[in-house]
Amino acid sequence: MKSLYETGDETLLQELSNNSMQAFEKLFLKYHGKVLRFVTMFIGDEDEAKDVAQDIFTHLWQKRQSMGNIQNLDNYFYITARNAALRSIRHHIIIERLNNQHTEIADVPELDTPEFTSRLEACIREAIDQMPGQRRRIFEMSRYENMSHQEIADKLNISKRTVDKHISLALADIRKITITLALAFINAL
């Protein structure tokens, strides 16, 4: 029987592409240490590097049918390990940013207070009252009378598209006021 290093990579890749578990095991034993050292050097965290290396070999097994076309296995593992390490680093950077944003959001005062709610309702009512007549009427029919856009269009003898546009503009007006009020309330705290 040939030793691990006597079996050529091309032969192992051909056998792997024919679903040979033995070929996979030989490739794993031959390259795993090299891949793990490279990824560890790149990432700096040995536990994370072990996970990345494991993923690389899992991917190798999953894509085994197409592995017979690889010309240089050292290059394949180098490029695959580099890309996997970069993805891991990017993933950790994104997680760190999200954690920082979560901390910043957690520092925002609670807006679900009776005082804020009553002020918000008053501002929304004022915004509705200041809307042009048709927009206000359409918005109230939609929100307070629970009419569909088509029902409103039929009742007012206008197109459904016109109703959609008025609702969209009304919600934009309310959204502006809500954001302004929330920022003012936060700044006042």
Side-chain angles (χ1 to χ4, degrees):
M1 181 174 169
K2 291 184 176 181
S3 77
L4 178 65
Y5 293 99
E6 290 175 8
T7 305
D9 287 345
E10 298 82 21
T11 304
L12 289 174
L13 287 171
Q14 271 318 123
E15 291 174 12
L16 179 66
S17 68
N18 292 322
N19 299 321
S20 169
M21 182 57 95
Q22 268 188 324
F24 176 77
E25 289 171 357
K26 288 179 182 179
L27 287 170
F28 183 86
L29 291 171
K30 186 174 180 179
Y31 286 98
H32 183 265
K34 191 186 283 190
V35 169
L36 180 59
R37 282 189 300 280
F38 176 76
V39 173
T40 302
M41 181 187 70
F42 209 93
I43 293 177
D45 179 348
E46 191 171 346
D47 289 333
E48 178 67 21
K50 286 178 182 177
D51 290 341
V52 171
Q54 188 67 38
D55 290 344
I56 290 168
F57 282 92
T58 300
H59 184 262
L60 177 69
W61 178 253
Q62 290 171 340
K63 300 295 182 184
R64 63 189 173 276
Q65 273 82 26
S66 62
M67 292 296 151
N69 301 327
I70 294 174
Q71 301 298 317
N72 186 327
L73 203 51
D74 277 320
N75 284 348
Y76 169 81
F77 279 119
Y78 169 76
I79 290 168
T80 303
R82 183 198 63 201
N83 291 342
L86 288 172
R87 275 193 307 276
S88 176
I89 291 169
R90 271 194 302 270
H91 174 76
H92 285 289
I93 289 170
I94 290 168
I95 294 298
E96 184 66 29
R97 285 182 184 162
L98 289 173
N99 286 337
N100 289 341
Q101 287 176 353
H102 179 69
T103 302
E104 291 170 10
I105 290 171
D107 293 340
V108 173
E110 188 68 38
L111 296 178
D112 192 18
T113 64
E115 177 189 358
F116 179 75
T117 303
S118 67
R119 286 178 64 186
L120 179 62
E121 288 172 355
C123 285
I124 290 173
R125 186 71 245 164
E126 185 177 329
I128 294 169
D129 290 342
Q130 291 178 3
M131 288 178 189
Q134 177 119 343
R135 185 180 309 161
R136 180 180 60 246
R137 185 167 181 213
I138 290 171
F139 181 80
E140 288 174 340
M141 291 169 82
S142 170
R143 293 309 190 260
Y144 299 131
E145 298 174 29
N146 296 317
M147 293 176 69
S148 72
H149 292 198
Q150 188 60 55
E151 291 171 331
I152 296 168
D154 292 343
K155 184 169 185 176
L156 297 178
N157 201 24
I158 57 176
S159 73
K160 182 180 173 292
R161 234 184 152 136
T162 301
V163 173
D164 294 341
K165 184 68 176 168
H166 278 291
I167 296 290
S168 177
L169 291 170
L171 292 172
D173 291 345
I174 292 171
R175 202 170 8 259
K176 285 179 200 169
I177 287 175
T178 304
I179 291 169
T180 304
L181 177 63
L183 291 174
F185 193 76
I186 289 169
N187 289 333
L189 295 177

